[in-house]
Amino acid sequence: MAKANVICRCEEIEIDEIRKWIAAGCTDFEELKRILRVSMGPCQGRGCRDIILREIAKATGKPVAELRISTIRPPVKPIKTMLLAEED
């Protein structure tokens, strides 16, 4: 069965699941990241982070600018593993 309203495509997390955890009190992006694995796929949150931050802001009444944002880990841009293994 195909999922509807997938926000984090890498981990296939739907908006309803994200909203459920936010309503349960998980209003920190890092906390959601650890529970749901959002933004831990190959895109490093480039597709879902802004949407999730807006949902947290809406639920808490805080501006997105005041929310703690997760750190993007290197490589900042996805690269092929083969390039890392090449010799000069």
Side-chain angles (χ1 to χ4, degrees), residues 5-87:
N5 301 316
V6 173
I7 299 302
C8 179
R9 287 177 263 155
C10 297
E11 298 297 328
E12 296 185 7
I13 306 297
E14 295 182 37
I15 190 68
D16 292 338
E17 182 75 9
I18 293 165
R19 286 178 178 155
K20 180 183 90 172
W21 283 97
I22 291 171
C26 297
T27 57
D28 181 71
F29 188 85
E30 286 293 327
E31 194 173 19
L32 288 171
K33 185 175 179 178
R34 286 178 177 84
I35 293 168
L36 298 175
R37 294 192 43 82
V38 293
S39 86
M40 292 181 80
C43 84
Q44 293 277 300
R46 286 176 191 82
C48 65
R49 183 179 40 243
D50 290 342
I51 297 168
I52 296 169
L53 288 171
R54 284 195 302 265
E55 286 295 319
I56 294 170
K58 188 167 61 173
T60 61
K62 294 180 182 177
V64 172
E66 288 183 13
L67 299 176
R68 189 168 66 122
I69 300 172
S70 68
T71 305
I72 296 175
R73 305 281 183 229
V76 174
K77 184 175 182 181
I79 59 172
K80 294 181 180 181
T81 308
M82 176 181 70
L83 295 174
L84 297 173
E86 287 183 356
E87 293 184 30

